[in-house]
């Protein structure tokens, strides 16, 4: 991915550092570390802070496809890992309190050891509370062509590497939970057909609307909350101690997918787009009705049966998705209701 | 090298999902009553059993909206079978 525009002193300092060789400038690395330590306490809301979220996004990116022109050895540079942890700590705390808020009144957190059916039931119950039409209803019935393009741009930050953050969890799981995750991921990656990979289907949808389908092509365009929703997955996926959270995250993701994707597809059909464009959404109507069963019962449920102590983190991952997605939806819909763009700067009108 | 393979007891599984579809995994063919293959994009499929799916025979999650409930005796709890 190409290096984005900095959004403040942290991302600016980080990109400056990454331009050099790992370890070549210890003073600059120290300066950045001190800057982050000094800045974080005065950041109001880490989740909505563009500078923090962009820096985290690019630090995580070193573990995915890398950053253009940046030495691959930076990935495991101890100073950079330390920097990432500095940023991750308040981010995780903010996610935990956002998740607690969205979890609502206690009584939902069940006591005692749950079997996998009971875990699936709790998760399906959580997902059902998130049934407001919101974004999907608007996309289906009202969204303009320009809004459909903005919608794809927000989604592209994740969907062009769809499934990758959850894949980190595979070697951290065992037995039934592992087999379940592999079964889901195999489907996400097209069952052996590269053109059926969900990320490839999404790229096709983007091209159909005249958008740039290169990975990270719109990072500069999206607000902090869009980056935060993807950083959350990387945080859960890359930290083994959060394997419960990534399982809960995937379960809720799958459980809140089939119906919205049906509505998204309707929105694009309403604008006259054919199956080439709606293929991504059509695929998810069917696939995620399968995935939600496996993710709820075998992945999350199987994990909790094997490691009952992980139940609170499974629920954390699940409620964090609901909380962050609700904020992202609020941001986008709020902008659209005001007749403005949900992006940092409006797209040029469609050609 | 062509030895008779000892097959495992079951070559696949059919999962009766509580209040939801029937999950089928393993080697099988999905065909219409006249024997024509039903288009299929994935190995493991979820077959609608609530009747409300818009993409039958597959499940599309609509069972959650129509509050489909499976019979209690179709999914006996593990505790009852002691
Ligand atoms: S069983 Fe899922 S839609 Fe019918
Ligand atoms: Fe997918
Ligand atoms: Fe999925």
């Amino acid at each position: 991915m190409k290096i984005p525009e900095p959004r403040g002193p942290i991302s600016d300092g980080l990109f400056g550092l990454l331009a050099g060789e790992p370890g070549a400038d210890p003073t600059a690395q120290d300066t950045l570390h001190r800057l982050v330590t000094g800045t974080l306490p005065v950041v109001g809301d880490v989740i909505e802070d563009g500078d923090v979220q962009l820096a985290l996004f690019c630090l995580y990116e070193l573990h995915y496809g890398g950053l253009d022109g940046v030495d691959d050895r930076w990935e495991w540079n101890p100073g950079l890992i330390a920097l990432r942890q500095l940023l991750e700590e308040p981010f995780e705390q903010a996610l935990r309190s956002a998740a607690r808020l969205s979890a609502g009144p206690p009584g939902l957190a069940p006591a005692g050891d749950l079997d996998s059916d009971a875990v699936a039931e709790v998760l399906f119950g959580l997902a059902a509370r998130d049934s407001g039409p919101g974004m999907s209803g608007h996309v289906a019935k009202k969204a303009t062509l320009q809004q459909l393009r903005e919608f794809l741009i927000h989604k592209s930050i994740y969907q062009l590497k769809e499934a990758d953050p959850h894949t980190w969890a595979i070697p951290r799981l065992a037995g039934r939970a592992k087999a379940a995750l592999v079964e889901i991921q195999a489907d996400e990656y097209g069952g052996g057909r590269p053109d059926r990979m969900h990320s490839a289907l999404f790229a096709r949808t983007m091209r159909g609307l005249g958008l740039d389908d290169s990975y990270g092509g719109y990072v500069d365009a999206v607000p902090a909350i869009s980056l935060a929703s993807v950083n959350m997955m990387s945080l859960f996926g890359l930290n083994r101690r959060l394997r419960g959270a990534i399982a809960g995250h995937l379960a809720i993701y799958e459980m809140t997918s089939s119906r919205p994707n049906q509505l998204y597809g309707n929105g694009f059909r309403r604008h006259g787009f054919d199956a080439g464009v709606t293929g991504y959404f059509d695929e998810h109507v069917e696939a995620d009705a399968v995935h939600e069963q496996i993710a709820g019962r075998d992945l999350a449920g199987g994990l909790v049966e094997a490691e009952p102590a992980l139940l609170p983190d499974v629920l954390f991952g699940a409620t964090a998705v609901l909380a962050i997605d609700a904020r992202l939806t609020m941001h986008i819909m709020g902008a659209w209701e005001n007749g403005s763009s949900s992006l940092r700067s409006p797209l040029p009108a469609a050609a | 090298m062509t030895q008779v393979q000892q097959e495992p007891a079951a070559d696949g599984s059919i999962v009766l999902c509580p209040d939801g579809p029937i999950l089928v995994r393993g080697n099988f063919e999905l065909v219409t009553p006249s024997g024509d293959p039903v288009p299929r994009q994935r190995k493991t499929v979820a077959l609608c059993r609530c009747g409300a799916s818009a993409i039958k025979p597959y499940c599309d999650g609509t069972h959650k909206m129509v509050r489909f409930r499976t019979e209690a005796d179709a999914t006996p709890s593990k505790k009852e079978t002691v």
Side-chain angles (χ1 to χ4, degrees):
Chain A
M1 168 183 123
K2 72 176 183 1
I3 295 188
E5 290 297 315
R7 294 193 195 183
I10 300 177
S11 47
D12 193 42
L14 175 64
F15 300 158
L17 196 63
L18 292 176
E21 278 193 21
D25 193 348
T27 325
Q29 206 150 349
D30 279 356
T31 311
L32 182 59
H33 202 96
R34 272 198 307 278
L35 174 84
V36 172
T37 322
T39 308
L40 280 174
V42 298
V43 171
D45 180 1
V46 172
I47 293 175
E48 304 262 1
D49 188 276
D51 195 25
V52 169
Q53 293 301 333
L54 183 66
L56 257 182
F57 190 85
C58 292
L59 285 168
Y60 286 136
E61 199 47 45
L62 297 172
H63 300 283
Y64 293 100
L67 296 166
D68 293 354
V70 170
D71 191 319
D72 284 341
R73 288 172 302 166
W74 274 114
E75 180 186 3
W76 294 107
N77 177 270
L80 223 49
I81 299 288
L83 187 71
R84 194 183 95 198
Q85 286 175 334
L86 272 183
L87 296 168
E88 278 180 327
E89 198 190 307
F91 181 45
E92 183 182 340
Q93 275 170 18
L95 289 174
R96 286 193 185 271
S97 45
R100 263 195 303 277
L101 269 178
S102 96
L108 239 158
D113 287 0
L114 296 186
D115 70 8
S116 56
D117 282 347
V119 172
E121 201 181 316
V122 169
L123 291 169
F124 274 119
L126 276 173
R129 300 196 310 171
D130 181 56
S131 57
M135 175 76 86
S136 52
H138 179 83
V139 166
K141 296 243 157 69
K142 297 199 186 108
T144 63
L145 178 59
Q146 198 69 346
Q147 288 174 344
L148 292 185
R149 300 172 83 225
E150 289 194 7
F151 169 71
L152 292 181
I153 284 173
H154 287 285
K155 280 180 82 74
S156 72
I157 309 301
Y158 171 57
Q159 252 68 45
L160 290 174
K161 66 170 171 202
E162 184 164 334
D164 286 352
H166 305 96
T167 300
W168 299 121
I170 294 174
R172 286 107 188 254
L173 302 177
R176 181 179 174 197
K178 177 182 229 153
L181 183 53
V182 170
E183 187 178 32
I184 294 169
Q185 297 300 82
D187 217 18
E188 299 285 347
Y189 291 128
R193 289 175 296 171
D195 58 314
R196 294 284 309 168
M197 286 176 63
H198 289 179
S199 54
L201 295 176
F202 191 80
R204 188 172 171 197
T205 302
M206 290 187 83
R207 290 193 300 273
L209 271 82
L211 296 170
D212 174 9
D213 68 348
S214 56
Y215 175 70
Y218 290 103
V219 167
D220 283 331
V222 301
I225 185 70
S226 304
L227 299 176
S229 75
V230 186
N231 286 339
M232 165 173 65
M233 301 184 220
S234 300
L235 169 75
F236 295 166
L238 278 170
N239 287 280
R240 193 182 72 87
R241 69 188 167 82
L242 294 174
R243 61 199 178 282
I246 194 73
H249 183 286
L250 183 59
I252 287 291
Y253 230 69
E254 303 290 0
M255 288 174 178
T256 53
S257 173
S258 286
R259 176 63 180 161
N261 274 291
Q262 193 176 50
L263 295 171
Y264 296 149
N266 291 345
F268 286 79
R269 279 183 282 272
R270 178 169 57 83
H271 279 274
F273 291 107
D274 65 7
V277 163
T278 64
Y280 173 84
F281 305 109
D282 303 337
E283 160 68 4
H284 280 83
V285 174
E286 186 187 313
D288 289 347
V290 178
H291 298 172
E292 67 179 359
Q293 299 297 339
I294 303 169
R297 205 162 290 107
D298 302 305
L299 170 60
L303 179 60
V304 170
E305 277 190 15
E307 298 186 78
L310 292 185
L311 176 63
D313 268 357
V314 168
L315 296 178
F316 162 48
T319 43
V321 182
L322 298 174
I324 298 306
D325 275 12
R327 276 170 82 162
L328 178 56
T329 301
M330 246 167 52
H331 168 89
I332 298 175
M333 298 283 287
W336 289 351
E337 274 156 25
N338 289 329
S340 49
S341 167
S342 63
L343 302 174
R344 293 176 72 225
S345 53
L347 274 181
Chain B
M1 292 297 281
T2 52
Q3 336 178 341
V4 179
Q5 280 268 296
Q6 192 67 46
E7 292 291 338
D11 194 22
S13 68
I14 296 181
V15 184
L16 306 172
C17 301
D19 305 334
I22 296 173
L23 210 61
V24 190
R25 60 165 67 83
N27 287 321
F28 61 89
E29 246 185 299
L30 196 61
V31 295
T32 65
S34 46
D36 299 324
V38 172
R40 178 171 151 204
Q41 294 290 356
R42 66 203 73 259
K43 284 178 77 170
T44 300
V45 299
L47 299 177
C48 175
R49 66 169 160 158
C50 76
S53 172
I55 56 164
K56 287 196 278 283
Y58 301 118
C59 163
D60 67 358
T62 305
H63 59 267
K64 293 179 283 185
M65 268 153 308
V66 302
R67 303 194 170 277
F68 173 61
R69 293 288 174 265
T70 44
E71 297 300 323
D73 61 3
T75 53
S77 104
K78 282 157 207 152
K79 285 107 201 167
E80 282 166 15
T81 57
V82 175

